[in-house]
Amino acid sequence: MQALRDRLARITDLNHAAAILEWDQETYMPEGAEESRARQVATLRSFAHELLTDDVTSRLLESATPESALDQDLVRVTRKDVEKATRVPSELIAKMAIASGRSKGAWQKARATNAYAKFAPHLATIVDLTIQHAEALGYQETPYDALLDQYEEGMTTAEVTRVFSDLRDRLIPVVKTIAAAPVISDAAVHGNFPHDAQWAFGIEVAKQLGYNFHCGRQDISAHPFSTAFSITDVRITTRVDPTFFSPSFFGTLHEAGHAMYEQGIDMALEGTPLADGTSLGIHESQSRLWENLIGRSRPFWQHYFLHAKKAFPDALGGVDLETFYRSANTVEPSLIRVEADEVTYNLHIMLRFELEQDLISGKISVNDLPREWNDRMENWLGIRPTTDSDGVLQDIHWSLGAIGYFPTYALGNLMSTQLFDAAKRAIPNLDALTASGDFSDLLQWLRTHVHQHGRRKSSNQILMDATGSGLSADSWMQYVQTKFGDLYGF
Ligand code: ZN
C-alpha cells in the first residue's frame, strides 16, 4: 500500500505541476510563450499518463493489501482510472490533441467573423474522432454514454434524457409565463461599480462564506475558473466589468463554491487520486448553491445590501433593497448561455444535449447544425439567433472535443437544490443565519455530506446519502416556481 501511495503521489504531483502551468497560462503568462507552454504541459501530462498506465502501477495495484476502507477506495478508484486510461489507444489520443489544437484556432476565427462554414470541417473531424473515442472507451447502450461518463461517472444517456425531458416540459411554460409578465428592470446592477471596489467586495464576501484565502487566492482571467494544486492550494479567477455588478460578484461566489468543495476534502486523501471532485455535476452543484441559492437570495441581501451600498455609493446610493434584489434576479430569454439567467439557463444546456446526441448518432450532420440550433432556440426560448456567432459558434467546448460535458452544468443546477433542501431540513433556521451573514452551519453540512468524501463516493451515492433520493428535477422546479413566482407574480 505504501509503495502504491508513493507512486500515486508522484503522478498527482506531475498533474498538479501541469495544472499550475495551465493556471499561469490563463493569468500571467506573456502571450509569446504559448507554444513553449503547450509543450511543457504536454510533457508533464504525458509523463503522468505513462506512470499511471505502466506495468509498475498495475503490479502495485495487484499486490497491495488494503488495510482500511480508505485503502480499499483508493485501490478501487485507481484501478478504474488505469483501466480507462489504457482503453484508448495512444494514437487516437494524439490525433485528438492535434485536431482540437487546430479546431480551437479555427473556431476562434470563425466565431469572430461569423463564418460557420470555416469551422464545419474541423467540427466534422472532431465528431468523427469522438465517435472513435466512445467506441474505444466502451458503453452499455449508446456511444453517448461513454462520453457522458468521462465527466459524470456512472450517469447514462437514458437517465439524463428522463430527467431533462421532464424538466423541459415543466420549464418551457414557466419561461413563457415570465416572458409575458411585466419586465423587471435590471438597472440597479448596472452603473458605476469601480474595479477595485468590486474586487475587494467580492473577496470579502467569499471569505465570509468560508473560502479560505490562507490556502487560496483570486486573480484575473478572461474566462473565470477554479483550479486545485492540492487541498491546501485551491485558486479562483474572475473578470471585472466596472459598469456591471453581476458578472464579477456572482462569478466570484460561483468559483468560490467550486474552491470550497476542494478545500473541504479530507486531508487524509491528499496526494492521491481521491482528492478531487467526484463529478462535474456535483462540482457545479457547489458553485451554483453559493452563487444562486445563497448569493441571489433575499436573506443574503438582507445582510449584504448595506455593505454593498457602502462599497458602491455612486451606483447604489439611491437604491433600496427590494429593487436591488429584483434587479439581480431578472429573467429574460437570451441567446448566449453564459449570460443566461437562472431560469432559462437549463434550456440552453438541454438544447446542446440533444444536438450532441444527434451528431454522435448521425441523425443530423455538421452542416445541419446551425439550422437545427436556431430552430430549437426559437421553439424553446422564443428567440432566433441572427448570426451563428450568437448561435452555434458561441461555446468553445466542441472545438476542444469536449462532447458530453454540457449536461453536467444542468445536472449541477438540479443537484444544487436537492442538496440545499436537505441542508435546510437539517438547519431549520438557515434563512435567518444567512440573513445574519453566518454561513458556518451550511458550510459544515456541505463539508460533512459532500466535500470531505472527494472521489470516495460517486455522485449518485452523495445524493442518496445526503438527500435520501437520486437525481430529479422536482426540487429545482419547486425552487423556480416559488422564487420566480414571487418575483413575477404567478
Ligand atoms: Zn462552474
Side-chain angles (χ1 to χ4, degrees):
M1 263 327 288
Q2 194 49 51
L4 176 65
R5 279 176 174 277
D6 291 345
R7 183 143 185 107
L8 294 176
R10 293 179 68 199
I11 296 169
T12 306
D13 285 346
L14 286 168
N15 278 321
H16 283 152
I20 296 174
L21 293 182
E22 287 165 339
W23 166 84
D24 175 68
Q25 193 168 14
E26 302 298 322
T27 49
Y28 295 103
M29 188 191 81
E31 243 176 79
E34 217 165 272
E35 227 178 282
S36 59
R37 180 54 51 87
R39 194 188 61 238
Q40 291 156 351
V41 169
T43 299
L44 288 172
R45 292 262 182 224
S46 62
F47 191 27
H49 186 264
E50 279 166 32
L51 287 183
L52 181 69
T53 53
D54 74 4
D55 294 345
V56 181
T57 307
S58 300
R59 277 202 302 274
L60 287 171
L61 276 169
E62 271 163 41
S63 60
T65 33
E67 278 157 15
S68 63
L70 174 55
D71 284 352
Q72 280 169 4
D73 288 341
L74 182 58
V75 169
R76 174 178 53 83
V77 170
T78 309
R79 269 209 187 112
K80 215 191 255 176
D81 285 354
V82 170
E83 204 222 315
K84 276 190 189 175
T86 44
R87 252 183 257 165
V88 185
S90 45
E91 308 87 73
L92 181 56
I93 294 176
K95 269 191 204 165
M96 286 169 55
I98 293 166
S100 66
R102 285 187 190 135
S103 150
K104 186 184 164 193
W107 166 77
Q108 275 164 341
K109 277 187 210 123
R111 188 174 74 153
T113 56
N114 187 36
Y116 178 76
K118 293 226 170 82
F119 176 56
H122 293 276
L123 183 57
T125 306
I126 294 275
V127 169
D128 184 43
L129 291 171
T130 302
I131 292 168
Q132 293 178 42
H133 190 205
E135 295 297 339
L137 286 167
Y139 50 85
Q140 291 265 316
E141 276 182 28
T142 155
Y144 196 82
D145 284 343
L147 304 177
L148 204 51
D149 184 76
Q150 297 177 95
Y151 309 105
E152 194 66 28
E153 199 169 47
M155 187 59 73
T156 63
T157 312
E159 171 78 349
V160 178
T161 304
R162 179 184 68 76
V163 175
F164 279 9
S165 45
D166 173 41
L167 176 61
R168 189 190 53 197
D169 292 348
R170 293 154 81 181
L171 183 54
I172 287 178
V174 172
V175 170
K176 290 197 167 140
T177 304
I178 293 177
V183 172
I184 293 177
S185 165
D186 66 350
V189 290
H190 294 270
N192 179 20
F193 292 93
H195 178 286
D196 292 356
Q198 283 201 57
W199 182 261
F201 187 67
I203 285 184
E204 194 47 41
V205 175
K207 264 184 203 166
Q208 288 169 20
L209 298 182
Y211 176 34
N212 176 4
F213 275 81
H214 180 61
C215 296
R217 55 178 286 129
Q218 178 172 263
D219 294 272
I220 296 279
S221 72
H223 305 282
F225 63 96
S226 81
T227 179
F229 315 134
S230 73
I231 297 169
T232 53
D233 189 353
V234 189
R235 305 185 188 188
I236 63 173
T237 69
T238 190
R239 61 180 158 200
V240 179
D241 176 348
T243 68
F244 189 9
F245 174 76
S246 300
S248 173
F249 182 72
F250 294 113
T252 293
L253 300 197
H254 181 101
E255 300 307 336
H258 281 302
M260 284 188 273
Y261 180 13
E262 305 233 8
Q263 287 188 332
I265 295 172
D266 181 356
M267 274 306 289
L269 277 52
E270 177 76 316
T272 77
L274 298 174
D276 203 347
T278 196
S279 77
L280 291 188
I282 291 287
H283 232 303
E284 196 67 5
S285 78
Q286 298 308 290
S287 57
R288 288 302 196 178
L289 187 150
W290 292 104
E291 175 195 0
N292 289 335
L293 310 185
I294 291 293
R296 290 184 203 264
S297 74
R298 198 179 260 122
F300 178 86
W301 287 108
Q302 282 165 354
H303 178 73
Y304 278 109
F305 186 59
L306 283 179
H307 299 263
K309 264 172 112 88
K310 263 188 215 130
F312 311 105
D314 186 43
L316 299 179
V319 176
D320 63 71
L321 166 64
E322 192 57 22
T323 305
F324 182 80
Y325 168 70
R326 293 167 71 82
S327 196
N329 280 295
T330 56
V331 176
E332 195 187 0
S334 61
L335 296 172
I336 307 294
R337 173 185 64 88
V338 296
E339 294 165 8
D341 55 74
E342 272 187 89
V343 178
T344 57
Y345 187 90
N346 286 338
L347 289 175
H348 289 263
I349 297 305
M350 290 187 271
L351 170 129
R352 286 156 178 77
F353 172 63
E354 284 196 355
L355 291 173
E356 285 185 341
Q357 287 180 80
D358 290 352
L359 276 176
I360 296 300
S361 69
K363 201 168 150 195
I364 63 171
S365 77
V366 160
N367 293 328
D368 302 329
L369 200 54
R371 199 194 58 243
E372 291 289 339
W373 180 290
N374 295 345
D375 286 351
R376 286 179 220 212
M377 276 298 285
E378 198 167 359
N379 275 338
W380 293 8
L381 282 148
I383 45 173
R384 191 178 183 89
T386 53
T387 67
D388 289 331
S389 299
D390 284 344
V392 67
L393 285 172
Q394 65 181 269
D395 292 310
I396 194 172
H397 301 59
W398 292 343
S399 78
L400 301 175
I403 296 177
Y405 187 120
F406 280 122
T408 66
Y409 291 125
L411 296 177
N413 283 329
L414 304 186
M415 291 171 182
S416 74
T417 54
Q418 289 187 268
L419 290 166
F420 197 60
D421 284 349
K424 275 200 216 164
R425 289 195 293 272
I427 313 164
N429 60 336
L430 185 58
D431 278 353
L433 288 170
T434 300
S436 68
D438 180 353
F439 306 98
S440 51
D441 285 6
L442 175 60
L443 182 60
Q444 191 50 52
W445 189 90
L446 293 169
R447 290 266 188 264
T448 306
H449 295 274
V450 182
H451 302 173
Q452 61 163 336
H453 305 295
R455 293 177 69 207
R456 293 185 70 181
K457 285 188 181 186
S458 68
S459 65
N460 187 51
Q461 253 178 306
I462 296 252
L463 274 186
M464 291 302 295
D465 293 351
T467 74
S469 50
L471 180 70
S472 146
D474 290 346
S475 152
W476 189 82
M477 274 313 303
Q478 182 95 52
Y479 162 75
V480 163
Q481 295 275 5
T482 307
K483 175 173 176 179
F484 294 93
D486 165 55
L487 280 161
Y488 282 92
F490 62 88

